[in-house]
Amino acid sequence: MSPTVRQDAYGTTPDGRAVHAWTLEATGGLRATVLTLGASLAALTAPAPRASPGPVVLGLPSLSVRTGDHPYLGPVVGRYANRIAHGRFTLDGTEHRVPVNDRGHALHGGPDGFHRRVWRAEPTADGTGVELSLHSPHGDMGFPGALDLTATYRLAGPGTLAVDYRAVTDRPTVVNPTNHAYFNLAGHGTVHDHLLEVSADHYLPVTTEGIPYGPPEPVAGTPFDFGRPVRLGGRIADGHPQVRAAGGLDHCWVLRAAGPGELRHAATLAEPSAGRRMEVWTTEPGVQVYTGNNLDGTLPGADGRPLPQHAGICLETQHLPDSPNRPEYPSTVLRPGRVFRSRTEFRFSTKN
């Protein structure tokens, strides 16, 4: 049976913009709710062998909370996900500046990034999802070039939520979108008892401000080695200086090589009590793992209960942070006449 796709009114932002919710539902219990505000994955429900179908991403209780300040619960962030050092980069000999919003650096496209925009939306031609589109004019948050970006969420087979990105520009720019959902496969509490595996032999150490300070380093012999499933709580509490400085994990893993446009395994997250398991596959070269270190119990979740520190984990498939200033990293430059494409799949199962 084909997935069902439904659009509903969700509310109006304080400045009068109408927001809609798109619900994608498939037989078997996978259901996603996507908001046009920020192209946000606002809710995701998945089945479990030892529990009823339940929420697996952190949500927010209302539109009024979502339009306020929160640590990117579910939106597509851009034009450039992650950090650009000092909000500056040079492209073709011209320096560009993005407003800084994180310890003197630009984070997730700046303070008025794509997470704050209301995107246009329509069902996909095959009826399996929703395509959201956004026009970002030349100079938007300091980025050069007018950019047209689409983010398409679709239910792509049993237990799979796929997110596709496509972008074109009218002059050279940089682009690096990602989804910023916080996963909790138990649906409550923290992710300390979750098991994480990451398909990477190297990661990027960072300064205390989250900026990579050199080339990728081997994960072997460090708390960043997730070559086999490892309980997150032990690694979050590790005394390694990189972990202590971040209050947990907030680092980019460099994924093992794959062909252009080829899906590669990025990570597997499992939660033993409910029995849920999620594989992340992507065409991107990196995954930023962030364990909700800055959640502090002041933000209410979808059920109104406070979200404690480490209530969720983000697995942000993307190019590497600060790539516009690092010619040795894979390029994030998009030029006229070229098409940026990226795909990430979240594959849910109940096998242990």
Side-chain angles (χ1 to χ4, degrees), residues 141-155:
M141 284 285 98
F143 289 99
L147 185 81
D148 288 291
L149 174 67
T150 61
T152 303
Y153 294 83
R154 56 166 49 89
L155 298 178

Side-chain angles (χ1 to χ4, degrees), residues 147-174:
L147 185 81
D148 288 291
L149 174 67
T150 61
T152 303
Y153 294 83
R154 56 166 49 89
L155 298 178
T160 298
L161 176 68
V163 188
D164 289 284
Y165 302 96
R166 181 185 186 277
V168 295
T169 184
D170 66 352
R171 68 186 77 187
T173 190
V174 295

Side-chain angles (χ1 to χ4, degrees), residues 92-187:
D92 295 342
T94 300
E95 183 179 81
H96 302 278
R97 292 177 176 264
V98 182
V100 297
N101 57 334
D102 180 59
R103 296 169 288 180
H105 308 288
L107 176 66
H108 296 329
D112 188 29
F114 293 172
H115 62 291
R116 293 199 176 276
R117 314 295 173 84
V118 175
W119 299 48
R120 297 183 302 276
E122 60 183 5
T124 59
D126 63 3
T128 63
V130 57
E131 180 180 284
L132 301 108
S133 57
L134 181 71
H135 176 74
S136 174
H138 171 62
D140 187 8
M141 284 285 98
F143 289 99
L147 185 81
D148 288 291
L149 174 67
T150 61
T152 303
Y153 294 83
R154 56 166 49 89
L155 298 178
T160 298
L161 176 68
V163 188
D164 289 284
Y165 302 96
R166 181 185 186 277
V168 295
T169 184
D170 66 352
R171 68 186 77 187
T173 190
V174 295
V175 62
N176 185 33
T178 192
N179 178 270
H180 205 284
Y182 290 68
F183 293 94
N184 183 319
L185 302 189

